[in-house]
Structure formats: structure tokens, C-alpha cells
Amino acid sequence: MRLQEKLQFGARMAAEKRLSELLHERIDQEQQEHDLLAGAEDLRANFYDAMVIAPMDSALREETVRRLIGSPCFIVSCDELSGGMAVILPDPGPDTVSSETAAKILLKEWSDARPYMPVIGMGHKANSLPMLKKSYRQALNAAKYGVFYGHAGVITAEVEEMARIRFSKQAGEFLAAWQEMSRQLRLHLLALHKEEVYTQLETMIKLITDATGAYVAALLNSLIIELSVLADGQGGNNGSIQQFLAMNRLQDMHDYVRNYVSEIIHLLDEKMNNKDKYIIDKVIRLIDERYGSGELSLTVLADEVFVSPNHLNTMFKKITGRTVHQFLVDTRMSKAEELLRTTKLKVSEIAGSIGMSNISYFCSIFKQEFGLSPGEYQELMQRP
């Protein structure tokens, strides 16, 4: 690389480092523009255009974007959108292309070479570097809007802002319709009307699509919570609600909720048409959750599933081959074996943690199961 090229590359890197600090709010709000420009004079301009490019298929390459634009520009990663980037176009004179022209060039290239067009969010023109942060946020919101609703091409800040304004005007009507549809969905689920369930769900998703600007993640998360009550809190990709809330496409959220509803239909079907299995599955789940409680017993479990202790024990042995007491003891022994093998806890501590406060009884049962006392087993398993 020639000296001049190295100098230009170094100046651009310095400018992009400052831009990244500015756009991601790692520079003090009160910092003056001349401080931002110190060591990055290439950023000096009368106006700035901000674009956020979000790929719809695979990650974009900075070198490709620079080559296609063919004009001085600065690129920083867009942390808020996976694979996205922010492109800043300074406007020092006639040789610099506008964001509109740059967007047309990029879309023309991608329309010929890629199966999916990217989303290009564009903010309002900024007349200073401190104002550029606001322009970037506008471009980012516009890009997120496009990605979420599956739009491609240029999405301006005005389009995203107008969508929010339109929704705010119809929010009351929308929420009333949403609540009624949620009620109908629950009724269809309880009646196991599968076709009606999926038809109702599609109608609800279309309502969201038509009312762009709605707080979709909050609405669908509330729906998931409401529906989970129908299946005792089960279903819906257990433990992955944070993954759901992090989704940035309506289609992904739609697929998640549809799978969630399918799981609940399955659980309700078992609950209504295979009652014994449903009850036993619930008892096994309760034992796995509460084995550490010394109060857990056949009577307590029978009360939880609304059957008599004798009836529960008969059902349980018929399906599992073991009594409830035997299954509870086996679960506790399995947990104790794991703790003895993997921790330095005292035998008394382990006994207490699995709900067996009588240490002599615990040691006796453990030796029957594993052939060694708990202390001997722990020493053997952890011997270097």
C-alpha cells in the first residue's frame, strides 16, 4: 500500500472510530463538534446523510458497499441489527453522492445479484455531527420497521414516523379488536376447534400487519401468557421467551406463536382425551420440581391433581410400573448421586437438599440403591 493510501486509510479509520463512538452514545452528549473532529478531519462537512442497511439474507461486506457507492463515505457496524451497517455520507461538495443516489445504486446492484433485497433506512439530513446521532436513530428505526414487516428497499424516516402516528390515532379501536380476538382464540382452543384456532391466529397477525406501529412484541407476549394458563403454564418452547422478545421480524414471531399454539393444542388434547396420562405427566413434573421439599408426599400430589391418593397410586403404577413413593425416592436418589459425584457438599447437606432430613434413612436407602454409603460413594467418585 502506498504512503498516500496508508494515510487516507488511517484517516478513514480514525473518522469511523469517532463515528461509532458518537452513534452508539459513547461520547458525552455535551462534547463540542470540534472535539469530535479532532484527529478525524475527513468528517468535516456542511451536512450529513445517514443510512442503515439491513440485509434480508446474509451479511453485507463493507468493501462492496464502498465500491458501489464510489464516493467518500464512512461505515460503522450497526449493533442493533444483526449483519447491518450504518453508512454516513458527508456533503462537502458536488463530488459526493446523496443518500438517495447511493440507495439506488445499491438496490440496483442487489436486484441483479441477490435473491432478497436489503432494507435501507434513511434518516433526515443532519447539519452537524451532534445532530447526526438523531439522524442515525431515525434511519435505524426506519430499517427496523422495514425488516420487521418484511418490506424491502428504501424506508424513510417519514414512513416509519407516519406509521406510528397512524397507529396512535387508532390504538383504542385496535386494542378493543385485539382483546376480542384473543378471547375468541381462547374459546376455540378450549373447544379444540383446531381449524378455527389457526384461522383466528392468522386474522390477528393480519390485524398487526395492517396496524403498523403497534407494540407487537408486547401484544404477542401477553397473548402467550394468557394462553399458557390453559395448559398449566406449559408449552411454547420452554425458557425461550427472551429469544422471542429479541426477534426483529414479524414472520419469526408469527412462527413462534403458531408453534406455541400447536403445543398447547397437543397438551389440551391430552388433558381432555387422555386424562390419566395427563395427570401422571403432571405428577412427574411436580416431583421433578419439588423433590427437595420434605413435605412432598402422595397425599400432597393427589391434592394437586384433584384425585384421591389411592386412585393416583393405582394410575401411577399402571402407567409407570412404580408407586408414587417409589418414583419420588428414585428421583431423590438420582439427584443425590449427582451431587455426591460432582460437589464437595456434606452428606447431611445433600440429604437436606433432596427433602430427606433423616440422614440415617437417607444413607440406608442410598446404600440399597448403589451398594455404598453416600460418604464412600462420594470419596470413590472424586478420588484423583
Side-chain angles (χ1 to χ4, degrees):
M1 186 182 292
R2 297 174 184 174
L3 178 59
Q4 184 62 29
E5 291 174 338
K6 288 182 179 180
L7 292 173
Q8 290 174 347
F9 178 78
R12 193 191 77 206
M13 290 289 289
E16 289 179 345
K17 180 177 183 296
R18 284 302 178 95
L19 274 176
S20 181
E21 292 172 346
L22 170 69
L23 300 183
H24 297 110
E25 300 185 347
R26 294 192 288 268
I27 289 181
D28 190 283
Q29 183 74 21
E30 301 301 320
Q31 191 162 359
Q32 297 297 316
E33 187 164 356
H34 65 80
D35 293 329
L36 294 173
L37 290 168
E41 290 297 319
D42 281 9
L43 274 177
R44 190 177 298 280
N46 298 320
F47 296 97
Y48 303 89
D49 282 340
M51 302 192 306
V52 169
I53 308 174
M56 297 297 278
D57 50 358
S58 57
L60 306 173
R61 295 178 61 86
E62 289 185 15
E63 296 81 2
T64 303
V65 173
R66 294 187 200 279
R67 175 178 58 78
L68 291 173
I69 292 177
S71 172
C73 65
F74 301 97
I75 298 177
V76 299
S77 62
C78 179
D79 300 338
E80 299 89 340
L81 277 174
S82 177
M85 64 176 67
V87 179
I88 306 303
L89 297 161
D91 185 20
D95 294 333
T96 305
V97 300
S98 66
S99 56
E100 292 83 0
T101 301
K104 287 179 182 178
I105 293 171
L106 295 173
L107 293 174
K108 171 76 167 61
E109 174 73 15
W110 272 303
S111 67
D112 296 336
R114 288 173 175 257
Y116 300 103
M117 296 281 279
V119 176
I120 301 180
M122 297 176 61
H124 298 298
K125 191 177 290 292
N127 59 11
S128 66
L129 275 174
M131 289 299 295
L132 180 58
K133 184 164 61 174
K134 181 177 180 181
S135 180
Y136 165 71
R137 285 290 151 188
Q138 293 165 344
L140 176 62
N141 289 338
K144 284 182 175 180
Y145 170 87
V147 168
F148 189 81
Y149 288 103
H151 303 315
V154 173
I155 306 291
T156 64
E158 290 86 352
V159 169
E160 188 274 332
E161 290 162 359
M162 287 304 299
R164 282 190 284 111
I165 292 171
R166 282 196 304 273
F167 176 72
S168 67
K169 292 179 179 178
Q170 62 182 23
E173 180 181 343
F174 170 88
L175 290 173
W178 179 266
Q179 289 168 1
E180 175 57 23
M181 288 182 178
S182 298
R183 188 181 73 84
Q184 291 293 331
L185 182 64
R186 293 195 300 274
L187 292 175
H188 290 319
L189 272 169
L190 286 170
L192 283 179
H193 294 158
K194 298 179 184 179
E195 287 189 15
E196 289 85 347
V197 165
Y198 291 118
T199 298
Q200 186 70 49
L201 183 60
E202 297 306 316
T203 302
M204 295 173 75
I205 295 298
K206 186 175 187 307
L207 181 67
I208 287 176
T209 304
D210 292 342
T212 51
Y215 302 106
V216 179
L219 287 169
L220 292 178
N221 186 37
S222 295
L223 179 65
I224 287 170
I225 293 170
E226 289 176 18
L227 298 183
S228 69
V229 175
L230 301 181
D232 298 332
Q234 299 180 69
N237 302 317
N238 292 333
S240 61
I241 196 64
Q242 293 305 317
Q243 175 191 350
F244 167 76
L245 293 174
M247 291 176 181
N248 57 17
R249 301 176 194 268
L250 178 57
Q251 184 60 52
D252 293 340
M253 288 188 166
H254 177 197
D255 294 343
Y256 183 102
V257 175
R258 187 179 175 87
N259 291 337
Y260 182 94
V261 167
S262 295
E263 290 184 21
I264 290 184
I265 288 175
H266 174 72
L267 289 167
L268 288 174
D269 188 53
E270 280 201 345
K271 185 176 182 179
M272 295 177 184
N273 299 319
N274 197 354
K275 186 178 178 182
D276 287 358
K277 185 177 183 304
Y278 174 81
I279 289 175
I280 299 310
D281 286 346
K282 182 170 183 179
V283 169
I284 290 173
R285 190 169 68 254
L286 288 170
I287 289 174
D288 193 56
E289 292 171 354
R290 303 185 194 174
Y291 66 85
S293 169
E295 304 299 318
L296 194 62
S297 66
L298 172 62
T299 302
V300 170
L301 290 166
D303 287 344
E304 287 279 355
V305 293
F306 306 104
V307 297
S308 72
N310 285 339
H311 182 55
L312 174 59
N313 222 19
T314 300
M315 275 195 303
F316 199 93
K317 188 167 185 179
K318 180 180 178 181
I319 291 176
T320 69
R322 288 176 284 179
T323 67
V324 171
H325 176 72
Q326 288 170 336
F327 190 91
L328 175 57
V329 169
D330 288 347
T331 299
R332 285 171 167 166
M333 290 302 103
S334 175
K335 302 295 183 181
E337 185 277 333
E338 181 182 355
L339 291 172
L340 288 166
R341 178 167 39 84
T342 61
T343 74
K344 299 291 186 182
L345 292 173
K346 295 179 180 178
V347 170
S348 59
E349 293 175 318
I350 291 174
S353 73
I354 62 167
M356 300 180 75
S357 56
N358 187 324
I359 299 176
S360 297
Y361 178 63
F362 164 63
C363 291
S364 174
I365 297 296
F366 188 90
K367 189 167 184 177
Q368 288 177 27
E369 182 74 19
F370 295 96
L372 296 171
S373 71
E376 291 169 337
Y377 187 87
Q378 186 177 47
E379 195 275 333
L380 177 65
M381 288 296 104
Q382 297 194 30
R383 186 180 296 164

